[in-house]
């Protein structure tokens, strides 16, 4: 961490240069912003905003910077890799992945490498998808007999598959989605 001081003292104008575990260098301003509710004594911390209210061109630029900072914050959040790993495994392989399977895929997302796949950069989807599809949990024949292994259909897809298997014929001019709308809460899908 390197601090850039104004007049050789720490203040709200101090800027810190920080390099994180992913090798990204960020400049952070030493400031806090609070929202206070009059008469109640209640206050809470608000995210500082550095957007100019006078210059429209600067506001557009600053808005882009704040959106980029928000996206970076979400991408590099510690929960992003396990969340992405779980969702990708559920879509491509099984609805109930093991913790080790999720950890392997999350590690591939963080490191950007899985076997010979990936560029070595954080969030590399080639490495992540390779880990999802080539991990032994995805390819194991033994797991096919496990009653807890496999994919569960979404309720609406299950209902439509049932209608097709029963060779449902519509007697009105309504579309299938119009038929599905009233009972969406009954099948458990919003």
């Amino acid at each position: 961490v390197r601090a850039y001081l104004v007049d050789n003292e720490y203040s709200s104008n101090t800027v810190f240069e920080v390099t994180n575990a992913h090798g990204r260098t960020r400049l952070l301003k030493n400031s806090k912003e609070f929202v206070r509710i009059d008469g109640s004594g209640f206050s809470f911390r608000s995210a500082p905003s550095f957007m100019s209210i006078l210059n429209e061109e600067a506001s557009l630029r600053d808005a882009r910077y704040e959106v980029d900072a928000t996206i970076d914050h979400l991408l590099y959040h510690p929960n992003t890799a396990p969340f992405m790993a779980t969702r990708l495994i559920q879509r491509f392989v099984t609805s109930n992945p093991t913790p080790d399977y999720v950890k392997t895929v999350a590690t591939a997302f963080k490191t950007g490498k899985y076997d010979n796949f990936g560029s070595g950069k954080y969030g590399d989807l080639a490495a992540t998808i390779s880990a999802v599809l080539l991990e032994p949990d995805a390819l194991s024949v033994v797991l096919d007999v496990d009653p807890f292994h496999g994919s569960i259909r979404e309720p609406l897809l299950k209902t439509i598959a049932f209608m097709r298997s029963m060779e449902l014929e519509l007697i009105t001019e309504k579309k299938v989605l119009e038929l599905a709308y009233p009972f969406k809460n009954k099948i458990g899908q919003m």
Side-chain angles (χ1 to χ4, degrees):
V1 177
R2 179 180 289 161
Y4 297 97
L5 307 174
V6 176
D7 298 328
N8 285 332
E9 61 183 41
Y10 288 103
S11 68
S12 62
N13 293 324
T14 303
V15 175
F16 296 96
E17 182 179 344
V18 179
T19 303
N20 65 11
H22 304 293
R24 295 174 47 242
T25 301
R26 299 177 61 196
L27 298 174
L28 304 172
K29 187 175 179 186
N30 186 27
S31 66
K32 288 184 182 179
E33 187 173 308
F34 287 92
V35 175
R36 291 175 180 36
I37 300 174
D38 289 337
S40 69
F42 181 73
S43 67
F44 59 92
R45 182 153 183 219
S46 178
S49 174
F50 303 110
M51 293 177 56
S52 169
I53 58 172
L54 302 175
N55 186 346
E56 189 173 314
E57 190 173 304
S59 291
L60 182 61
R61 178 200 66 213
D62 293 345
R64 287 186 183 138
Y65 289 158
E66 288 199 19
V67 168
D68 287 346
T70 301
I71 291 172
D72 281 351
H73 175 74
L74 294 173
L75 178 66
Y76 289 98
H77 192 277
N79 291 340
T80 300
F83 177 83
M84 291 292 295
T86 303
R87 295 303 177 266
L88 288 170
I89 293 167
Q90 286 175 337
R91 286 289 172 214
F92 288 113
V93 181
T94 180
S95 296
N96 191 19
T98 63
D100 288 339
Y101 190 11
V102 172
K103 184 177 180 182
T104 302
V105 176
T107 302
F109 184 86
K110 289 179 187 175
T111 61
K113 290 297 270 180
Y114 182 77
D115 287 341
N116 295 326
F117 299 97
S119 64
K121 294 181 181 176
Y122 182 92
D124 188 333
L125 287 180
T128 307
I129 296 296
S130 298
V132 168
L133 299 176
L134 300 176
E135 182 65 17
D137 280 7
L139 302 174
S140 177
V141 187
V142 175
L143 291 173
D144 290 342
V145 269
D146 184 2
F148 298 105
H149 185 75
S151 294
I152 299 173
R153 285 187 186 167
E154 294 177 13
L156 184 60
L157 296 178
K158 190 186 295 185
T159 304
I160 290 173
F162 175 74
M163 286 188 222
R164 285 183 180 162
S165 69
M166 295 290 122
E167 298 178 2
L168 175 74
E169 292 182 17
L170 297 176
I171 54 174
T172 64
E173 297 296 321
K174 291 186 177 183
K175 298 176 186 172
V176 174
L177 288 178
E178 288 177 9
L179 286 174
Y181 182 75
F183 63 88
K184 70 178 183 178
N185 292 335
K186 293 178 183 174
I187 62 172
Q189 185 165 344
M190 300 299 243

